[in-house]
Amino acid sequence: MILVRQSVAQSILPPVPEWKGESELLIANPGNPWVTPTEKSGFITTPGYNETMNWFKKLAAASPLISMVSIGKSPDGREIFMMIVSAEKTITATALKKSSKPLLLVQAGIHPGEIDGKDAGMMLLRDIAFGGKKDLLQRVNLLFIPILNVDGHERTSPYNRPNQRGPENMGWRTNAQNLNLNRDYAKLDTREIRAVIKVINEYEPDLYMDIHVTDGADYQYDITFGGLEGQGHSKGISHWLATTFKRQADNDLKANGHIPGPLLFSANDIDFSKGNVLIMGDPRFSDAYADLRHLAAVLVENHSLKPFKQRVLGTYVLLESTMKLLATKGKSLIEVTKADKAKRETTLPMKWKVPQMSSAASFETQVNVLNKDTGATAPDSLILLGVESRIVKSAVTNASYPKWTGRKVTMTIANYKGTEGIAFVTRPKAYYLPASCYDVIERLQIHGIKMEILDQPREVSVEMYRIRDAKFSNGDGRVLPFEGHIQVTGTTQPESHQQTFAAGSAFISTDQPLGDLAMILLEPGSPDSYFQWGFFHSIFQRTEYIEYYVMEPMAKKMLEASPALQKEFEEKKAQDKKFANDQNAILTWFYSKTKFYDDRYLLYPVARVL
Ligand SMILES: [Zn+2]
């Protein structure tokens, strides 16, 4: 292995513009007893897990406004701590939930290499406790998780994120199980995300902020953030985020010398010549999950090419701005949230797409077609504070790649948004999950979905799906695990059933605020359903068989008894040569038409009450 020193990798990064801002005044001087380890290092390094938690322990011991609780343990046994920052007399989950003050939940270090939120939070909590910012708590309460992925945070190295300007010691993206926590919100495999969901259910925050650092293209912005801008399942909340929240955050950041921008994902994965695409993610992501459960969420993506100090200070400004906003406008957020929670849409989209594009082909191909004036509706546009790039020919691969020159350019680009719902499913009154699906039942309970557990067997008329054309893969046609799962898709064929559910089975009404979430987790057409994550693979196994010496004479008798079957058989053989030459396929075909055949084969066991 050839080691490229981190400082060398950093010198390869595109040029960084000189930056000065009002927010630099937030940095404590070295004589301050509560100077953070990061400030002390001049924003070169970030403290490890132990140093961070010891610092917080001392702060909590010294200030009545701050307490520290463990919300769970990581796979490697580290406590995941949360700071409760509040001027309330009683500081329990119940008290904070009942308080009339809006509650902000801020989470840092879900991807520990992207740690800006932790360091910004340390500075802000210090200033609330001892730096004259106590008043922030007059009308708001704050929950702060400094490091969510604590194990990944300790897999530290200067080589973890080559596209990022500091700190020198960066954590690792995935947890100790090599799982990406920001793909786990729907399926809930990890202790870390289970801990966060427990916090959301117990404290019921009004706004949830998840802080990251993004690489990808170069642009002028140092901090990008957003809600889902009119996309998704909580229209009132997303409108509030795109207007009320964005206005104040942008103003405060600009006043402090920062350059706030929208979430950016280049359509061609290279530069912004083909526009920006804001796709509505599935609820495996924090922001899309929160949207589905009608909780306002802001995804923060600082720009990796900006220096660590600038990113931390921008995050601090955004956190303080959010607290001030909730103090004055929190009531309006609570109102729109209530309205979104009360809605019961009669049909729900399982997926979202960009209206100008088919969901099949790659964005780049489609963008190229769209640019040739296909008559499709034009996307929104966006004024981008960009950076000039040139496509240069590679001396290594002979292909081309973008080189960022550092020269500022302002350009108007297409802005595609995944606002169109597709694959709609009618909302059932309720679902039944058989007692045998206890693992899924338990996960739904962790989500906070209300349910009745049957204390005696119940016979009911339900609709169930037979799964057809199942495909086990991960999109590129190969069967490979994704986040530890072999995923599956299939088509659903509804059937009416009279079914008895044993004691211990779950009855889940969709007439509840988390009814949309229940649908997205239980409908097999949803990409983040437990079905597609592979929790029901055993329905694809046939477990009882019939011998040829029984099936041969039986098939003969069946043909003699039914001319219609004879006709169907001849036609099938004529149409399907492979079938006609496959003894096993033929006898299985006859078997499937007998009463001996397993009627639960390919039957998805979750039932819908219509
Ligand atoms: Zn991230």
Side-chain angles (χ1 to χ4, degrees):
M1 184 168 59
I2 295 167
L3 286 179
V4 179
R5 283 206 346 271
Q6 194 226 12
S7 54
V8 175
Q10 302 262 309
S11 72
I12 294 168
L13 293 178
V16 61
E18 192 68 23
W19 179 82
K20 290 234 162 304
E22 282 290 301
S23 60
E24 285 174 293
L25 297 172
L26 296 166
I27 301 169
N29 64 49
N32 185 321
W34 292 104
V35 67
T36 70
T38 302
E39 289 170 318
K40 221 192 252 171
S41 78
F43 292 84
I44 302 299
T45 57
T46 188
Y49 171 85
N50 287 333
E51 193 180 1
T52 303
M53 297 312 157
N54 288 336
W55 190 91
F56 274 122
K57 266 175 207 156
K58 270 190 216 150
L59 188 71
S63 167
L65 299 173
I66 293 174
S67 41
M68 187 169 183
V69 293
S70 169
I71 59 168
K73 248 188 189 164
S74 73
D76 274 351
R78 292 186 179 88
E79 300 285 354
I80 303 166
F81 286 107
M82 178 171 82
M83 312 307 298
I84 304 176
V85 190
S86 169
E88 306 271 358
K89 281 195 192 72
T90 325
I91 302 180
T92 60
T94 323
L96 293 181
K97 185 154 109 175
K98 282 196 183 141
S99 162
S100 60
K101 293 180 190 175
L103 179 60
L104 171 63
L105 169 61
V106 174
Q107 168 188 296
I110 189 172
H111 293 151
E114 312 165 13
I115 203 59
D116 311 3
K118 175 191 75 180
D119 292 293
M122 290 173 88
M123 292 169 64
L124 178 63
L125 264 57
R126 178 260 325 276
D127 291 344
I128 289 173
F130 301 114
K133 291 197 175 171
K134 199 168 80 181
D135 285 356
L136 285 174
L137 297 181
Q138 249 171 23
R139 291 157 74 183
V140 181
N141 291 316
L142 168 66
L143 303 176
F144 176 60
I145 302 172
I147 309 169
L148 179 60
N149 180 0
V150 286
D151 296 338
H153 187 273
E154 295 309 279
R155 186 177 164 188
T156 186
S157 158
Y159 304 106
N160 283 349
R161 286 177 64 77
N163 316 311
Q164 184 174 306
R165 279 206 162 84
E168 257 177 18
N169 51 335
M170 298 182 199
W172 190 252
R173 184 175 180 79
T174 47
N175 78 350
Q177 298 159 300
N178 202 29
L179 295 176
N180 184 341
L181 301 186
N182 203 25
R183 301 295 181 274
D184 194 41
Y185 279 83
K187 62 181 169 57
L188 293 186
D189 283 334
T190 64
R191 289 184 188 166
E192 294 93 332
I193 296 300
R194 287 179 179 213
V196 171
I197 304 301
K198 199 159 164 260
V199 167
I200 290 175
N201 282 323
E202 285 180 0
Y203 291 81
E204 290 188 3
D206 299 297
L207 183 63
Y208 176 34
M209 190 175 270
D210 182 23
I211 303 169
H212 296 248
V213 177
T214 186
D215 32 44
D218 197 6
Y219 37 74
Q220 297 171 44
Y221 309 111
D222 57 356
I223 180 166
T224 68
F225 59 89
L228 296 155
E229 295 193 33
Q231 311 180 55
H233 300 276
S234 302
K235 297 279 191 290
I237 291 173
S238 72
H239 179 74
W240 188 92
L241 291 171
T243 53
T244 310
F245 180 86
K246 186 174 158 43
R247 253 196 312 268
Q248 172 138 353
D250 280 355
N251 286 342
D252 289 346
L253 282 160
K254 282 178 192 164
N256 279 283
H258 292 278
I259 313 130
L263 293 173
L264 292 168
F265 303 95
S266 98
N268 61 4
D269 249 350
I270 300 170
D271 54 25
F272 291 100
S273 59
K274 298 287 193 277
N276 183 50
V277 187
L278 194 57
I279 308 169
M280 170 75 196
D282 292 310
R284 66 193 61 176
F285 298 99
S286 64
D287 54 340
Y289 173 77
D291 167 73
L292 184 55
R293 56 179 298 156
H294 315 301
L295 160 62
V298 176
L299 172 68
V300 181
E301 293 281 4
N302 290 327
H303 189 218
S304 68
L305 294 176
K306 304 299 184 293
F308 183 47
K309 179 173 100 176
Q310 186 179 348
R311 296 187 337 243
V312 171
L313 295 178
T315 310
Y316 181 121
V317 172
L318 182 63
L319 293 179
E320 186 177 358
S321 168
T322 305
M323 289 184 77
K324 286 181 177 161
L325 175 70
L326 285 178
T328 56
K329 301 276 170 53
K331 293 276 180 298
S332 65
L333 173 62
I334 291 169
E335 285 306 309
V336 295
T337 302
K338 217 189 236 173
D340 280 342
K341 277 186 177 172
K343 277 196 192 120
R344 305 285 183 264
E345 305 289 355
T346 48
T347 59
L348 208 67
M350 296 294 108
K351 303 176 201 175
W352 300 87
K353 74 184 260 302
V354 175
Q356 289 84 7
M357 300 177 183
S358 78
S359 50
S362 75
F363 277 110
E364 188 176 6
T365 327
Q366 295 182 55
V367 167
N368 283 330
V369 174
L370 285 169
N371 285 355
K372 285 185 196 135
D373 187 22
T374 55
T377 328
D380 289 352
S381 64
L382 171 74
I383 295 169
L384 179 85
L385 300 182
V387 165
E388 180 194 59
S389 65
R390 278 183 291 120
I391 301 296
V392 292
K393 184 139 172 127
S394 160
V396 182
T397 66
N398 230 12
S400 57
Y401 69 96
K403 198 173 168 81
W404 300 97
T405 67
R407 200 175 75 84
K408 293 176 182 176
V409 282
T410 301
M411 45 189 169
T412 304
I413 59 166
N415 194 22
Y416 299 94
K417 292 180 187 173
T419 48
E420 188 187 338
I422 52 168
F424 280 86
V425 170
T426 311
R427 188 185 206 91
K429 285 199 186 80
Y431 291 97
Y432 277 102
L433 273 80
S436 57
C437 300
Y438 51 82
D439 181 20
V440 172
I441 292 175
E442 191 193 312
R443 288 173 197 239
L444 296 172
Q445 283 169 331
I446 296 170
H447 278 295
I449 293 171
K450 302 260 180 305
M451 61 180 74
E452 175 200 349
I453 300 294
L454 308 193
D455 53 11
Q456 52 184 330
R458 187 181 293 173
E459 192 189 339
V460 280
S461 303
V462 290
E463 181 186 74
M464 296 176 81
Y465 296 127
R466 192 75 60 175
I467 307 295
R468 302 288 181 203
D469 310 315
K471 284 188 185 65
F472 297 84
S473 89
N474 285 303
D476 65 355
R478 289 184 303 164
V479 179
L480 281 176
F482 173 62
E483 294 299 316
H485 291 258
I486 300 294
Q487 294 174 294
V488 65
T489 56
T491 57
T492 52
Q493 190 183 336
E495 295 175 2
S496 295
H497 281 258
Q498 191 70 18
Q499 199 80 2
T500 300
F501 290 94
S505 299
F507 172 80
I508 298 173
S509 166
T510 58
D511 184 13
Q512 58 172 306
L514 296 185
D516 292 354
L517 175 62
M519 282 185 74
I520 293 292
L521 297 174
L522 292 175
E523 288 293 336
S526 146
D528 261 338
S529 60
Y530 286 107
F531 171 80
Q532 292 205 18
W533 277 113
F535 285 76
F536 294 94
H537 280 348
S538 57
I539 69 168
F540 298 105
Q541 297 163 218
R542 272 177 55 214
T543 54
E544 188 57 90
Y545 305 92
I546 197 160
E547 297 295 348
Y548 288 179
Y549 59 80
V550 176
M551 201 57 245
E552 285 283 354
M554 197 182 285
K556 191 158 170 279
K557 275 203 176 129
M558 287 163 75
L559 288 171
E560 283 162 10
S562 167
L565 184 69
Q566 177 83 54
K567 189 164 170 265
E568 193 188 338
F569 181 48
E570 293 305 331
E571 279 172 8
K572 184 153 176 69
K573 278 197 291 183
Q575 279 164 14
D576 188 344
K577 285 281 163 264
K578 203 170 156 236
F579 172 80
N581 294 312
D582 184 341
Q583 180 190 29
N584 189 48
I586 291 171
L587 292 179
T588 303
W589 186 78
F590 279 100
Y591 180 31
S592 74
K593 292 179 181 300
T594 71
K595 285 204 153 88
F596 299 101
Y597 196 68
D598 177 8
D599 64 348
R600 293 203 190 169
Y601 177 55
L602 304 181
L603 187 69
Y604 178 54
V606 177
R608 288 160 49 92
V609 181
L610 301 180

